[in-house]
């Protein structure tokens, strides 16, 4: 029998497990999408260790540096779109990258 405290943590465990499985699924889809775009198969480990930090560095700092300067925002958006197109990324992929790199 479970104690009262272990039973009260069970719903939390289910939620965490569901979140981790969804994140794992998104990472696998992202690896497949990038593999297809670059024409080379990559593993999830390669994606997390090599590709995501580089993509995040190419895309994140230009947007942060632009701040609220409207002329810089246009340039930053162009840079972001170029990287996204080069790697076959979509909007939800960027959300996944940001959540993984946070």
């Amino acid at each position: 029998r479970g104690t009262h405290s272990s039973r009260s943590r069970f719903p939390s465990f289910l939620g965490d497990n569901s979140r981790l499985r969804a994140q794992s699924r998104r990472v696998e889809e992202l690896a497949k999408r990038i593999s297809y775009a670059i024409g080379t198969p990559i593993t999830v480990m390669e994606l997390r260790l090599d590709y995501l930090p580089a993509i995040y560095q190419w895309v994140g700092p230009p947007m942060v540096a632009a701040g609220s300067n409207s002329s810089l925002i246009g340039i930053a958006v162009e840079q972001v779109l170029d990287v996204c197109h080069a790697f076959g990324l979509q909007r939800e992929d960027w959300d996944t990258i940001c959540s993984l790199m946070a």
Side-chain angles (χ1 to χ4, degrees):
R1 292 189 237 195
T3 64
H4 177 65
S5 64
S6 67
R7 281 185 268 157
S8 65
R9 289 192 311 250
F10 187 68
S12 173
F13 165 77
L14 288 177
D16 291 343
N17 188 41
S18 175
R19 181 182 50 80
L20 290 174
R21 288 179 58 157
Q23 185 179 45
S24 176
R25 206 170 32 253
R26 287 193 307 264
V27 170
E28 289 174 6
E29 290 171 2
L30 185 59
K32 288 177 186 175
R33 189 171 293 119
I34 290 176
S35 292
Y36 180 76
I38 64 174
T40 303
I42 61 171
T43 64
V44 169
M45 186 68 72
E46 290 171 327
L47 174 74
R48 293 190 84 149
L49 294 176
D50 299 329
Y51 288 86
L52 291 185
I55 291 170
Y56 189 75
Q57 286 301 312
W58 288 331
V59 175
M63 293 301 290
V64 172
S68 60
N69 185 332
S70 60
S71 62
L72 291 179
I73 289 174
I75 295 168
V77 168
E78 289 290 327
Q79 290 174 341
V80 169
L81 290 176
D82 288 344
V83 171
C84 289
H85 288 304
F87 287 98
L89 302 176
Q90 300 171 358
R91 173 67 184 151
E92 52 273 358
D93 296 330
W94 176 242
D95 294 338
T96 300
I97 291 169
C98 287
S99 71
L100 291 171
M101 299 305 294

